[in-house]
Amino acid sequence: MVNDSAEKKYFKKIKLIEKYNKFYFDNNKPLVSDQEYDQLKLDILKLEKDFPNLKNDNSPSLKVGFKPSKNFIKAKHKVPMLSLSNAFNEEDLKNFEKKIINFLSLKKSEELEFSAEPKIDGISASLTYKNGIFFKGLSRGDGQEGEDITENLKTIIDIPKKISSKNFPAEIDIRGEVFITNNDFKFLSEKFANPRNAASGSLRQKNPKETEKIPLKFIAYTFGYSSNIDIKNQSDFLTNLKEWGFKTSKFNKKIKGIKNLVLYHDQFEKKRYDIDYDVDGIVYKINSFDLQKRLGFVANAPRWAIAHKFSADSSVSKILNIDIQVGRTGALTPVAKIQPVNIGGVVVSNATLHNEDEIIRKDIRIGDVVKVERAGDVIPHVISVDKTKRDNKSKKYIFPNKCPSCGSKTVKDFNEQTKKYDAVRRCPNDGFQCEKIAMENIKHFVSKDALNIDGFGKKIVEKFWDAKFIKYPHDIFKLDYNKIEKLDGWGDLSVSNLKYSIEKSKNINLSKFIYSIGIRHIGQENAKLISKHLKNPGNFFKLINKPSIESLLNVDGIGETQIKSIKKFFSNKINLNVLEELKKCMKITQDIDLKKEGILNNKTFMFTGKLKEMSRAEAKSLIEKNSGKIISNVNKKLNYLVIGDKPTNKKVTKAKDLNINIITQDELINMLNNTS
């Protein structure tokens, strides 16, 4: 029998999980943390266990994911894409093993062999190959039916389009996870709450050309349907995946016994933040395919696999205040000032609230007791509010509609492609009328990728700003060094070094100059394209004329967004004055034409670690002068990874996995010396 109270509670939770599923799978906007979602799922399953008569089609015991979006053509999976049961501790794993042993009638002393694989927090996809050709790709959808996102998946470099291996099945559905690295996510964080949302949103673009702009990655880990596969276990299948050209996780491992699974889980959890993508647990699969076949499935999950989730690096604190920070592009970012709390060995006193929409969605207020999460290098963020501890007198936080720096009315940009307004609110000033934007522009102007003024970091910019030594970029070249010498921490030598660095920075090529002045949407690569098109510095200063700006539309890689930004920049009188002053102070030269047939022609390079007696900018310039190309990620397109002092281990490891040439700075110099 089911009592009324239990039934009411059950259907309330079913309705809630359906709502969470819609926002998570369909809208790419999770309403709760993974931990809260997992707990709700457990609550429903427990109610069903306690009251067997309770059943609903939307129960997590019967349903996977959410129905496919109407924006894409639907297609059936030949073999359903099911979810996994979760384990949170050793006891859960023992119960998992016990059920398997009982089901197979094995001896209790039998030690099962598992394939342990990191659970990537991304978007599941199924890739169908026929005769070695990738011809269809589906999202998981509701497990039975997915969205046809073939053209978007084809833009991902990690997905082979043709496989000629003799042992590759005539037809097979390769399954894996689409994700974005944390490093790449830094450039998308204004648009999405986390890397998973960024991957999901990018993969479900209607226009594949927009998806192509996003650095999506793919790691394969299993298969659905297969016509003629002759492989005996999961670990051998993973080896074959790699031989067929798919990326697999280097952390995959064969393990026997629950104690060893727990040990590996504990070891991996400690180093999970050294990995450049989000991992939220480890999946354990019975290694033998014969045993997997015998075990089969329950309603929506295999009996032979389970996900052992990680504990999040989180803690509870109180919001003391909410500070609105203004970035270089005018973006207003709310930051919670919290009571200092230790999270994962680091004392945290600030946590990002992302944007106005996030504050409204979570109903975050000053004085709230909140859960704060910190994951590796990701900025600490508030994930939930404990409303039971909220003061009765607390008031909703009203996001300022005026810039806290200059008082201008803030705006939200309208995206013509999505037909939606951005989540980020911005100060509309595109010049130096807003002090905060002006200061951030100067920080950008002196940064390593721009003028690269040694000894002129962010803290120095702030100090000189407060002392009223600088207000515009050109003020840097008119500094009164006698006044600087009187500041605390400055002496003859440090002032002399700064003066030398500033004088040296006056000589700059056009592309670096364009990048350094900080026009929104004009990064380093766009600056190079514009410089190459304009040919000489004089033409850049003529962009005040509308026809000159319109001519940039002929440049491949420069679109309406960039043109609009350039027009806005050149329509600002203060910006024009800054340009005129910089033209007087600096020697801006034409970019050196790269050798079309140089010694490094068609070779790509990437750096990691500190170089000796040479800046990275100088090294990059030398490579480009000799027809080489610099890329920003370790991938199949990279020919040489140049390592300096204290290189990033994960870059070196990835390069080794991809058989990329790893060379020292001296070896690079030897290559360059052979340019006769």
Side-chain angles (χ1 to χ4, degrees), residues 19-64:
K19 179 182 176 182
Y20 291 166
N21 282 339
K22 178 173 175 59
F23 276 82
Y24 185 84
F25 292 105
D26 203 32
N27 299 348
N28 306 317
K29 290 182 179 180
L31 294 179
V32 292
S33 67
D34 286 354
Q35 290 79 12
E36 287 176 82
Y37 181 89
D38 288 340
Q39 186 57 54
L40 178 61
K41 186 176 175 181
L42 287 173
D43 291 345
I44 292 171
L45 297 177
K46 188 177 185 306
L47 281 166
E48 289 178 354
K49 184 179 179 182
D50 294 342
F51 304 95
N53 290 333
L54 284 175
K55 290 291 175 187
N56 185 277
D57 290 342
N58 290 324
S59 166
S61 64
L62 298 172
K63 190 174 179 181
V64 176

Coordinates of all heavy atoms in Angstrom, one line a residue, residues 19-64:
K19 N 11.6 18.8 -14.5 CA 12.0 20.2 -14.7 C 13.5 20.4 -14.8 O 14.0 21.1 -15.7 CB 11.5 21.1 -13.6 CG 11.8 22.6 -13.7 CD 11.3 23.3 -12.4 CE 11.7 24.8 -12.5 NZ 11.2 25.5 -11.2
Y20 N 14.3 19.7 -13.9 CA 15.7 19.8 -14.0 C 16.3 19.2 -15.3 O 17.2 19.7 -15.8 CB 16.3 19.1 -12.8 CG 16.1 19.7 -11.4 CD1 16.3 19.0 -10.2 CD2 15.6 21.0 -11.3 CE1 16.1 19.6 -9.0 CE2 15.4 21.6 -10.1 CZ 15.6 20.9 -8.9 OH 15.4 21.5 -7.7
N21 N 15.7 18.1 -15.7 CA 16.1 17.5 -16.9 C 15.9 18.4 -18.2 O 16.8 18.5 -19.0 CB 15.3 16.2 -17.2 CG 15.8 15.0 -16.3 OD1 16.9 15.0 -15.9 ND2 15.0 14.0 -16.1
K22 N 14.8 19.1 -18.2 CA 14.5 20.0 -19.3 C 15.6 21.1 -19.4 O 16.2 21.4 -20.4 CB 13.1 20.6 -19.2 CG 12.8 21.6 -20.3 CD 11.4 22.1 -20.3 CE 11.2 23.1 -21.4 NZ 11.5 22.7 -22.7
F23 N 15.9 21.7 -18.2 CA 16.9 22.8 -18.2 C 18.3 22.3 -18.5 O 19.1 23.0 -19.1 CB 16.8 23.5 -16.9 CG 15.7 24.6 -16.8 CD1 14.4 24.3 -16.5 CD2 16.1 25.9 -17.1 CE1 13.4 25.2 -16.5 CE2 15.1 26.9 -17.1 CZ 13.8 26.6 -16.8
Y24 N 18.6 21.1 -18.0 CA 19.9 20.5 -18.1 C 20.2 20.1 -19.6 O 21.2 20.4 -20.2 CB 20.1 19.4 -17.2 CG 21.5 18.8 -17.1 CD1 22.5 19.4 -16.3 CD2 21.8 17.7 -17.8 CE1 23.8 18.9 -16.3 CE2 23.1 17.1 -17.8 CZ 24.1 17.7 -17.0 OH 25.4 17.2 -17.0
F25 N 19.3 19.2 -20.1 CA 19.5 18.6 -21.4 C 19.0 19.4 -22.6 O 19.7 19.4 -23.6 CB 18.8 17.2 -21.4 CG 19.4 16.2 -20.5 CD1 18.8 15.8 -19.3 CD2 20.6 15.6 -20.8 CE1 19.3 14.9 -18.5 CE2 21.2 14.7 -20.0 CZ 20.6 14.3 -18.8
D26 N 18.0 20.2 -22.4 CA 17.4 20.9 -23.5 C 17.8 22.3 -23.6 O 18.0 22.9 -24.7 CB 15.8 20.8 -23.5 CG 15.2 21.0 -24.8 OD1 15.8 20.6 -25.8 OD2 14.1 21.5 -24.8
N27 N 17.9 23.0 -22.4 CA 18.2 24.4 -22.4 C 19.7 24.7 -22.0 O 20.1 25.9 -22.1 CB 17.3 25.1 -21.3 CG 15.9 25.0 -21.6 OD1 15.5 24.6 -22.7 ND2 15.0 25.4 -20.7
N28 N 20.5 23.7 -21.7 CA 21.9 23.8 -21.3 C 22.1 24.8 -20.2 O 23.1 25.5 -20.1 CB 22.7 24.4 -22.5 CG 22.5 23.5 -23.8 OD1 22.5 22.3 -23.7 ND2 22.3 24.1 -24.9
K29 N 21.1 24.8 -19.3 CA 21.2 25.7 -18.1 C 20.8 24.9 -16.8 O 19.6 24.9 -16.4 CB 20.2 26.9 -18.2 CG 20.7 27.9 -19.3 CD 19.7 29.1 -19.3 CE 20.2 30.1 -20.4 NZ 19.3 31.3 -20.4
P30 N 21.7 24.2 -16.2 CA 21.4 23.4 -15.0 C 20.9 24.3 -13.9 O 21.4 25.3 -13.6 CB 22.7 22.7 -14.7 CG 23.8 23.5 -15.3 CD 23.1 24.1 -16.6
L31 N 19.8 23.8 -13.3 CA 19.2 24.6 -12.2 C 19.8 24.3 -10.8 O 19.7 25.1 -9.9 CB 17.7 24.4 -12.1 CG 16.9 24.9 -13.3 CD1 15.4 24.5 -13.1 CD2 17.0 26.4 -13.5
V32 N 20.4 23.1 -10.7 CA 21.0 22.6 -9.5 C 22.4 22.0 -9.7 O 22.7 21.7 -10.9 CB 20.1 21.6 -8.7 CG1 18.8 22.3 -8.2 CG2 19.8 20.4 -9.6
S33 N 23.1 21.8 -8.7 CA 24.4 21.1 -8.8 C 24.2 19.6 -9.1 O 23.1 19.1 -8.8 CB 25.2 21.3 -7.5 OG 24.6 20.6 -6.5
D34 N 25.3 19.0 -9.6 CA 25.2 17.5 -9.8 C 24.9 16.8 -8.5 O 24.1 15.8 -8.5 CB 26.6 17.0 -10.3 CG 26.8 17.4 -11.8 OD1 25.9 18.0 -12.4 OD2 27.9 17.2 -12.3
Q35 N 25.4 17.3 -7.4 CA 25.2 16.6 -6.1 C 23.7 16.7 -5.7 O 23.1 15.7 -5.3 CB 26.0 17.3 -5.0 CG 27.5 17.0 -5.1 CD 28.2 17.9 -6.1 OE1 27.6 18.9 -6.6 NE2 29.4 17.6 -6.5
E36 N 23.1 17.8 -5.9 CA 21.6 18.0 -5.6 C 20.8 17.1 -6.5 O 19.8 16.5 -6.1 CB 21.2 19.5 -5.7 CG 21.7 20.4 -4.6 CD 21.4 21.8 -4.9 OE1 20.3 22.2 -4.5 OE2 22.2 22.5 -5.4
Y37 N 21.2 17.1 -7.8 CA 20.4 16.2 -8.8 C 20.5 14.8 -8.4 O 19.5 14.0 -8.4 CB 21.0 16.5 -10.2 CG 20.2 15.7 -11.2 CD1 19.1 16.2 -11.9 CD2 20.7 14.4 -11.6 CE1 18.4 15.5 -12.8 CE2 20.0 13.7 -12.6 CZ 18.9 14.2 -13.2 OH 18.2 13.5 -14.1
D38 N 21.8 14.3 -8.1 CA 22.0 12.9 -7.7 C 21.2 12.5 -6.5 O 20.6 11.4 -6.4 CB 23.5 12.7 -7.5 CG 24.3 12.7 -8.8 OD1 23.7 12.5 -9.8 OD2 25.5 12.9 -8.7
Q39 N 21.1 13.5 -5.5 CA 20.4 13.2 -4.3 C 18.9 13.1 -4.6 O 18.2 12.2 -4.0 CB 20.6 14.3 -3.2 CG 20.0 14.0 -1.9 CD 20.5 12.8 -1.2 OE1 21.7 12.5 -1.1 NE2 19.5 11.9 -0.9
L40 N 18.3 13.9 -5.4 CA 16.9 13.8 -5.8 C 16.6 12.5 -6.5 O 15.6 11.9 -6.2 CB 16.6 15.0 -6.8 CG 15.1 15.0 -7.3 CD1 14.1 15.2 -6.1 CD2 14.9 16.2 -8.3
K41 N 17.5 12.1 -7.3 CA 17.4 10.8 -8.0 C 17.4 9.6 -7.0 O 16.5 8.7 -7.1 CB 18.5 10.6 -9.0 CG 18.5 9.4 -9.9 CD 19.6 9.4 -10.9 CE 19.7 8.2 -11.7 NZ 20.8 8.2 -12.7
L42 N 18.3 9.7 -6.0 CA 18.3 8.7 -5.0 C 17.0 8.6 -4.2 O 16.5 7.6 -3.8 CB 19.5 8.9 -4.1 CG 20.9 8.5 -4.7 CD1 22.0 9.0 -3.7 CD2 21.0 7.1 -5.0
D43 N 16.5 9.8 -3.9 CA 15.2 10.0 -3.1 C 14.1 9.3 -3.8 O 13.3 8.6 -3.2 CB 14.9 11.4 -2.9 CG 15.8 12.1 -1.9 OD1 16.6 11.4 -1.2 OD2 15.8 13.4 -1.9
I44 N 14.0 9.5 -5.2 CA 12.9 8.9 -6.0 C 13.1 7.4 -6.0 O 12.1 6.6 -5.8 CB 12.9 9.5 -7.4 CG1 12.5 10.9 -7.4 CG2 12.0 8.7 -8.3 CD1 12.7 11.6 -8.7
L45 N 14.3 6.9 -6.2 CA 14.5 5.4 -6.3 C 14.2 4.8 -4.9 O 13.7 3.6 -4.9 CB 16.0 5.2 -6.7 CG 16.4 5.6 -8.1 CD1 17.8 5.4 -8.4 CD2 15.5 5.0 -9.2
K46 N 14.5 5.5 -3.8 CA 14.3 4.9 -2.5 C 12.7 4.8 -2.3 O 12.2 3.8 -1.7 CB 14.9 5.8 -1.4 CG 14.8 5.1 0.0 CD 15.6 5.9 1.0 CE 15.6 5.2 2.4 NZ 14.2 4.9 2.8
L47 N 12.0 5.8 -2.7 CA 10.5 5.8 -2.5 C 9.9 4.7 -3.3 O 9.0 4.0 -2.9 CB 9.9 7.2 -3.0 CG 10.0 8.3 -2.0 CD1 9.7 9.6 -2.7 CD2 9.1 8.1 -0.8
E48 N 10.5 4.4 -4.5 CA 10.0 3.3 -5.4 C 10.3 2.0 -4.7 O 9.5 1.0 -4.8 CB 10.6 3.4 -6.8 CG 10.0 4.6 -7.6 CD 10.7 4.7 -9.0 OE1 11.6 3.9 -9.2 OE2 10.2 5.5 -9.8
K49 N 11.5 1.9 -4.1 CA 11.9 0.6 -3.4 C 11.0 0.4 -2.2 O 10.5 -0.7 -1.9 CB 13.3 0.7 -3.0 CG 13.9 -0.6 -2.4 CD 15.3 -0.4 -2.0 CE 15.9 -1.7 -1.3 NZ 17.3 -1.5 -0.9
D50 N 10.7 1.5 -1.4 CA 9.9 1.3 -0.2 C 8.4 1.1 -0.5 O 7.7 0.5 0.2 CB 10.0 2.6 0.7 CG 11.4 2.7 1.2 OD1 12.2 1.7 1.2 OD2 11.8 3.9 1.7
F51 N 8.0 1.7 -1.7 CA 6.6 1.6 -2.1 C 6.5 1.1 -3.5 O 6.4 1.9 -4.5 CB 5.8 2.9 -1.9 CG 5.9 3.5 -0.5 CD1 6.9 4.4 -0.2 CD2 5.0 3.1 0.4 CE1 6.9 5.0 1.1 CE2 5.0 3.6 1.7 CZ 6.0 4.6 2.0
P52 N 6.6 -0.2 -3.8 CA 6.7 -0.8 -5.1 C 5.6 -0.4 -6.1 O 5.7 -0.5 -7.3 CB 6.7 -2.3 -4.8 CG 7.2 -2.4 -3.4 CD 6.7 -1.2 -2.7
N53 N 4.4 0.0 -5.5 CA 3.3 0.4 -6.4 C 3.5 1.8 -7.0 O 2.8 2.2 -7.9 CB 2.0 0.4 -5.6 CG 1.6 -1.0 -5.2 OD1 1.9 -1.9 -5.9 ND2 0.8 -1.2 -4.1
L54 N 4.5 2.5 -6.5 CA 4.8 3.9 -7.1 C 5.5 3.7 -8.4 O 6.6 3.2 -8.5 CB 5.6 4.7 -6.1 CG 4.9 5.3 -4.9 CD1 5.9 6.0 -4.0 CD2 3.8 6.3 -5.3
K55 N 4.9 4.2 -9.5 CA 5.5 4.1 -10.8 C 5.2 5.3 -11.6 O 4.0 5.8 -11.5 CB 5.1 2.8 -11.6 CG 5.6 1.5 -11.0 CD 7.1 1.4 -11.2 CE 7.7 0.2 -10.6 NZ 9.1 0.1 -10.6
N56 N 6.1 5.8 -12.4 CA 5.8 6.9 -13.3 C 6.8 6.9 -14.5 O 8.0 6.5 -14.3 CB 6.0 8.3 -12.6 CG 5.6 9.5 -13.4 OD1 6.4 10.0 -14.2 ND2 4.4 9.9 -13.2
D57 N 6.3 7.2 -15.7 CA 7.1 7.1 -16.9 C 8.3 8.0 -16.9 O 9.3 7.8 -17.6 CB 6.3 7.4 -18.2 CG 5.2 6.3 -18.4 OD1 5.4 5.2 -17.9 OD2 4.3 6.6 -19.2
N58 N 8.2 9.1 -16.1 CA 9.3 10.0 -16.0 C 10.3 9.7 -14.9 O 11.2 10.5 -14.6 CB 8.8 11.5 -15.8 CG 8.1 12.0 -17.1 OD1 8.5 11.7 -18.2 ND2 7.0 12.7 -16.9
S59 N 10.2 8.6 -14.3 CA 11.1 8.2 -13.2 C 12.5 7.9 -13.7 O 12.6 7.4 -14.8 CB 10.6 6.9 -12.5 OG 11.6 6.3 -11.7
P60 N 13.5 8.3 -13.0 CA 14.9 8.0 -13.5 C 15.2 6.5 -13.6 O 16.2 6.1 -14.1 CB 15.8 8.7 -12.4 CG 14.9 8.9 -11.2 CD 13.5 9.0 -11.7
S61 N 14.3 5.7 -13.0 CA 14.5 4.2 -13.1 C 14.1 3.7 -14.5 O 14.4 2.6 -14.9 CB 13.7 3.5 -12.0 OG 12.3 3.7 -12.2
L62 N 13.4 4.6 -15.2 CA 12.8 4.2 -16.5 C 13.3 5.1 -17.6 O 13.3 4.7 -18.8 CB 11.3 4.2 -16.5 CG 10.6 3.2 -15.5 CD1 9.1 3.5 -15.5 CD2 10.9 1.8 -15.9
K63 N 13.7 6.3 -17.3 CA 14.0 7.3 -18.3 C 15.5 7.8 -18.3 O 16.1 7.9 -17.2 CB 13.1 8.5 -18.1 CG 13.0 9.5 -19.3 CD 12.0 10.5 -19.0 CE 12.0 11.5 -20.1 NZ 11.0 12.6 -19.9
V64 N 16.0 8.1 -19.5 CA 17.3 8.6 -19.6 C 17.2 10.0 -20.3 O 16.6 10.1 -21.3 CB 18.2 7.7 -20.4 CG1 19.6 8.3 -20.6 CG2 18.4 6.3 -19.8

